[in-house]
Amino acid sequence: MKKLSMMLMAIAFAISASAQYNVGTSTTTTDIFGNQTTTHRNQYGQTTGTSTSSTDYFGNRTTTHRDSYGNTIGTSTTSTDYFGNTTTTHRDRYGNTTGTARSNTDFFGNTNTTYSDNYGRSIGTSTTSTDYFGNTTTTHRNRYGQTQGTSTSSTDYFGNRSTQQRSNDSSTIIWSW
């Protein structure tokens, strides 16, 4: 009996360790000028914030992040080099740099991103793959290479993008930015 209960506990632990929790969604719409508005919601469907993006003549992208009350909580600026690699710098509401994300795309169209804190230390990575229909799956990992969660995105006929975010920890939020 003791052996059976220990085995059941081990199975329950393995299931809970591999379970992923719905931690939120994001919906992105694009206007006629290519500007994007993303609405972030928690697992209960409540709006937690928005991100609005615009791209300049040189292809540089500026995103403003706001909380559910419309207060600016930060910005992100993305620049793209000659090879298509991107560098995104995140800043808080006061303009202080809080971190960076550097992305490159391989021959197969997979995008690899490395995230660094404001001191330049690696804090995690993500890998994004795109299927035949343009749907993407992103796997998020911490600095030790352990998977923390996933984000899956699909785009409808009108160019609107929906993202489902899942985490190994029910209290974690994985934002696309």
Side-chain angles (χ1 to χ4, degrees), residues 47-50 66-73:
T47 298
T48 56
T50 59
R66 296 180 175 87
D67 64 18
S68 56
Y69 301 104
N71 302 311
T72 298
I73 57 174

Side-chain angles (χ1 to χ4, degrees), residues 4-155:
L4 178 62
S5 64
M6 286 181 66
M7 193 162 50
L8 289 173
M9 282 174 53
I11 291 171
F13 178 75
I15 291 171
S16 66
S18 63
Q20 285 198 329
Y21 302 90
N22 169 18
V23 292
T25 59
S26 300
T27 307
T28 303
T29 58
T30 305
D31 68 16
I32 195 172
F33 303 103
N35 302 314
Q36 293 184 324
T37 300
T38 301
T39 303
H40 306 283
R41 295 180 176 86
N42 62 18
Q43 64 266 44
Y44 307 109
Q46 300 161 324
T47 298
T48 56
T50 59
S51 301
T52 53
S53 301
S54 60
T55 304
D56 67 16
Y57 181 80
F58 301 101
N60 300 315
R61 191 166 194 73
T62 302
T63 304
T64 302
H65 307 288
R66 296 180 175 87
D67 64 18
S68 56
Y69 301 104
N71 302 311
T72 298
I73 57 174
T75 60
S76 302
T77 52
T78 303
S79 59
T80 306
D81 69 14
Y82 181 80
F83 301 101
N85 303 315
T86 63
T87 300
T88 302
T89 303
H90 303 286
R91 295 179 176 85
D92 64 19
R93 71 185 74 197
Y94 307 109
N96 302 312
T97 299
T98 57
T100 59
R102 291 182 175 82
S103 299
N104 61 72
T105 304
D106 66 18
F107 182 78
F108 301 101
N110 301 314
T111 301
N112 301 298
T113 304
T114 301
Y115 303 95
S116 305
D117 64 16
N118 56 327
Y119 299 107
R121 298 175 300 205
S122 176
I123 56 173
T125 61
S126 63
T127 306
T128 302
S129 59
T130 306
D131 68 15
Y132 181 79
F133 302 100
N135 303 314
T136 62
T137 300
T138 302
T139 302
H140 306 278
R141 296 179 177 86
N142 63 17
R143 71 183 74 195
Y144 307 109
Q146 300 161 325
T147 299
Q148 298 297 291
T150 58
S151 302
T152 53
S153 298
S154 60
T155 305

